[in-house]
Amino acid sequence: MATKKNAPSGFNLDTCARPNILSLEPYRCARDDYKDDGTNILLDANENAHGPGLDVATITGATSDEDGAALDGPARNGAGIPFDIRGLNRYPDPHQTPLKQRICDYRNADSGRSSGGLQPSNLFVGVGSDEAIDAVLRCFCRPGHDKILICPPTYGMYSVSAHVNDLSVVRVPLDEEDGFVLRPAAVKAALSEDPSIKVVYLCSPGNPTGRLISGCSLEEVLQHPSWNGVVVLDEAYVDFSAPGSSLAQLVLDHPNLIVMQTLSKAFGLAGIRLGVAITSPPVARLLNNLKAPYNVSSITSALATAAFSPAHLATTKRYRAAILAQRDRLVEELPRIPGIGRFRGGLDANFVLVEMLSCPSAAAPDNVANHNNDNNNNSKNNNSPSNAIALAVYTILAEKKGVVVRFRGKEHGCDGCLRITVGTADEVTMLLREIRTALEDVYRASGIAVSGDTSPERAPDDVGEGTAAAKSDVNGHAPTLTSTPTPTPTPTTSSSSIRVEQEAERRANDVLP
């Protein structure tokens, strides 16, 4: 029988590890709870559902596109993988100048600049935006002493990275009464009050708010007369906004501004993990000095560089148009489902933030007409956003329907909210169908009558909403819907109502912002 080796007598993990790491609450996502087996519809991580923004045929030699249509001409030639696999025994380029030049050319053109714009010396590239988030903290903040400022609701990694670096977090919430706009005067007041704040993290479009920050509001913060710190503007979703929405060019006028971008969203390249920080050359030099020497792999660099070529940018543009068409469709059709409340924030990203209500009253006409009016009152007739309902819907969608979204109800101003990534036409069709039935199931399980029910806990024999199938809309065309009957949901009992409430309470404690 083998004897168990004992750990060194002097080793104690609880006293050896840093206290802030021992108490760290890690960043969590929906896929921590729900592993994808390849069959789920993933509308939780704001990925590009159509695929990578690459003309895949020129890389793989494919002979048909994603819809099965035959390819002809140059697309069939198969240019091969855009890097030499025989060079993988060598470390990658530590400077990535050609890639940086491609990014600068793209952003300068987007802003309308023909000269005097961004240069490679303005850029830091790393493993996703998360490397840049952490690098900024390590560059400007002293552990155990300095602080960062965030504006909730916002991206959770800012706080996680702050805690890893033993930094405190100051919170100046967005204005939830006015569509989650930035409050620059409040931010400036906090900076004046506490000079230990060294970094301000802003998100535009916001996550989960989907709202852009105006250039005027950003510059108001940057023009603080005495604060000695840096402002980080995270533009992960800016390519889903109107052309020219990026504020990256402001780094040419403000030496303490850092604009972060990524290829994970509109470019559909989340799998290669490429993030960018755009800033003044002195700040970029500091960030590049502290990074690992070969932080961006040869494969990532080659694919990212290729993504900015004309043929591949055309694919990204086509997918973007398809996503925006489906975003408009969600805005039009979601409010027609009883139990769906207001859209919160803005519509400048590839997702929507929407309320689940405590009762299934249909306020569709009002909500469709005023889809972005955060002042719309859903509290009439005691019908308010409900975290319990939202959590139950989130759970049913993932566990029974194979549709994974994000519960955001624990974040500031987001009571009862789900964040839903815009998918393909087929995925949006399924989402609309399944969220309707999930809401009906939750209400019935809680003893709440649903329209057409003969009693609070039992549906009639025919529930006639039907299912729909839509053709792919990667060219931006409106989907074609066909209806087929939906099976009648199984009636629930009072015990299932108890189980729904218990599960909602458990997830309310488990799910992090």
Side-chain angles (χ1 to χ4, degrees), residues 449-461:
V450 177
S451 177
D453 282 357
T454 55
S455 71
E457 291 192 357
R458 183 173 178 85
D461 291 337

Side-chain angles (χ1 to χ4, degrees), residues 216-395:
C216 292
S217 293
L218 176 63
E219 292 203 88
E220 186 176 344
V221 175
L222 288 166
Q223 290 166 359
H224 191 290
S226 60
W227 177 61
N228 184 24
V230 297
V231 175
V232 178
L233 184 70
D234 188 344
E235 290 189 337
Y237 300 96
V238 75
D239 292 298
F240 295 109
S241 306
S245 293
S246 173
L247 300 177
Q249 299 291 330
L250 289 180
V251 306
L252 301 173
D253 303 317
H254 298 279
N256 64 331
L257 173 63
I258 302 171
V259 176
M260 297 191 309
Q261 297 177 348
T262 180
L263 269 65
S264 296
K265 305 303 180 182
F267 285 84
L269 294 172
I272 71 171
R273 309 299 297 126
L274 194 286
V276 184
I278 305 170
T279 185
S280 61
V283 172
R285 185 163 53 250
L286 290 179
L287 296 177
N288 283 305
N289 286 346
L290 66 81
K291 74 174 182 66
Y294 309 109
N295 61 328
V296 175
S297 75
S298 299
I299 298 174
T300 290
S301 177
L303 289 170
T305 302
F308 288 95
S309 67
H312 298 310
L313 284 173
T315 300
T316 295
K317 182 178 180 180
R318 183 162 57 98
Y319 287 168
R320 176 186 179 274
I323 289 168
L324 298 188
Q326 290 305 307
R327 186 180 70 190
D328 292 345
R329 181 183 170 202
L330 281 173
V331 170
E332 180 182 356
E333 296 188 30
L334 268 174
R336 297 195 176 108
I337 298 174
I340 296 291
R342 299 171 297 176
F343 291 98
R344 304 303 315 274
L347 296 171
D348 297 311
N350 67 329
F351 57 82
V352 296
L353 183 69
V354 64
E355 295 172 335
M356 304 293 112
L357 301 179
S358 57
C359 298
S361 62
D366 191 39
N367 206 6
V368 172
N370 302 283
H371 60 76
N372 203 25
N373 184 358
D374 277 320
N375 294 318
N376 243 359
N377 186 10
N378 279 327
S379 62
K380 57 187 177 182
N381 301 323
N382 298 317
N383 198 7
S384 58
S386 168
N387 271 354
I389 297 296
L391 277 162
V393 170
Y394 162 75
T395 302

Side-chain angles (χ1 to χ4, degrees), residues 99-116:
L99 169 60
K100 292 176 181 178
Q101 186 62 60
R102 285 281 184 95
I103 296 170
C104 290
D105 292 344
Y106 179 76
R107 290 303 172 193
N108 289 335
D110 183 57
S111 68
R113 281 184 181 262
S114 57
S115 62

Side-chain angles (χ1 to χ4, degrees), residues 10 24 40 92 99 106 119 134 155 181 232 250 260 354 401 469:
L24 178 68
N40 293 328
L99 169 60
Y106 179 76
Q119 301 294 326
D134 182 69
Y155 180 41
V181 296
V232 178
L250 289 180
M260 297 191 309
V354 64
K401 312 292 186 179

Side-chain angles (χ1 to χ4, degrees), residues 38-56:
T39 64
N40 293 328
I41 291 179
L42 303 177
L43 305 178
D44 59 308
N46 300 336
E47 297 149 320
N48 187 325
H50 293 279
L54 299 169
D55 185 2
V56 177

Side-chain angles (χ1 to χ4, degrees), residues 5-326:
K5 292 184 178 180
N6 293 323
S9 58
F11 176 72
N12 185 329
L13 181 63
D14 292 335
T15 56
C16 183
R18 292 162 52 196
N20 59 302
I21 301 301
L22 289 170
S23 62
L24 178 68
E25 291 187 356
Y27 182 81
R28 292 191 63 206
C29 61
R31 291 177 213 180
D32 289 326
D33 294 324
Y34 303 111
K35 305 301 181 185
D36 179 39
D37 62 0
T39 64
N40 293 328
I41 291 179
L42 303 177
L43 305 178
D44 59 308
N46 300 336
E47 297 149 320
N48 187 325
H50 293 279
L54 299 169
D55 185 2
V56 177
T58 65
I59 297 174
T60 64
T63 58
S64 62
D65 66 14
E66 64 176 17
D67 298 319
L71 296 171
D72 52 20
R76 292 193 62 175
N77 293 337
I81 318 173
F83 58 87
D84 187 351
I85 195 170
R86 294 169 297 181
L88 290 179
N89 60 312
R90 302 298 182 188
Y91 286 111
D93 177 2
H95 305 295
Q96 303 294 338
T97 302
L99 169 60
K100 292 176 181 178
Q101 186 62 60
R102 285 281 184 95
I103 296 170
C104 290
D105 292 344
Y106 179 76
R107 290 303 172 193
N108 289 335
D110 183 57
S111 68
R113 281 184 181 262
S114 57
S115 62
L118 300 171
Q119 301 294 326
S121 59
N122 292 109
L123 267 60
F124 163 89
V125 293
V127 183
S129 296
D130 295 332
E131 182 177 358
I133 292 170
D134 182 69
V136 168
L137 297 183
R138 290 188 290 125
C139 185
F140 292 101
C141 299
R142 293 168 293 173
H145 183 275
D146 291 329
K147 301 173 184 176
I148 72 166
L149 184 149
I150 63 173
C151 297
T154 192
Y155 180 41
M157 274 304 296
Y158 308 143
S159 294
V160 172
S161 292
H163 293 150
V164 167
N165 287 281
D166 200 13
L167 305 171
S168 298
V169 179
V170 175
R171 293 171 172 82
V172 178
L174 299 173
D175 189 348
E176 63 177 292
E177 299 301 322
D178 190 20
F180 292 118
V181 296
L182 181 70
R183 299 188 296 139
V187 172
K188 290 173 68 177
L191 299 180
S192 296
E193 183 178 329
D194 191 346
S196 68
I197 299 172
K198 289 298 183 67
V199 179
V200 173
Y201 281 108
L202 305 175
C203 198
S204 178
N207 176 12
T209 67
R211 181 176 288 281
L212 283 166
I213 291 174
S214 71
C216 292
S217 293
L218 176 63
E219 292 203 88
E220 186 176 344
V221 175
L222 288 166
Q223 290 166 359
H224 191 290
S226 60
W227 177 61
N228 184 24
V230 297
V231 175
V232 178
L233 184 70
D234 188 344
E235 290 189 337
Y237 300 96
V238 75
D239 292 298
F240 295 109
S241 306
S245 293
S246 173
L247 300 177
Q249 299 291 330
L250 289 180
V251 306
L252 301 173
D253 303 317
H254 298 279
N256 64 331
L257 173 63
I258 302 171
V259 176
M260 297 191 309
Q261 297 177 348
T262 180
L263 269 65
S264 296
K265 305 303 180 182
F267 285 84
L269 294 172
I272 71 171
R273 309 299 297 126
L274 194 286
V276 184
I278 305 170
T279 185
S280 61
V283 172
R285 185 163 53 250
L286 290 179
L287 296 177
N288 283 305
N289 286 346
L290 66 81
K291 74 174 182 66
Y294 309 109
N295 61 328
V296 175
S297 75
S298 299
I299 298 174
T300 290
S301 177
L303 289 170
T305 302
F308 288 95
S309 67
H312 298 310
L313 284 173
T315 300
T316 295
K317 182 178 180 180
R318 183 162 57 98
Y319 287 168
R320 176 186 179 274
I323 289 168
L324 298 188
Q326 290 305 307

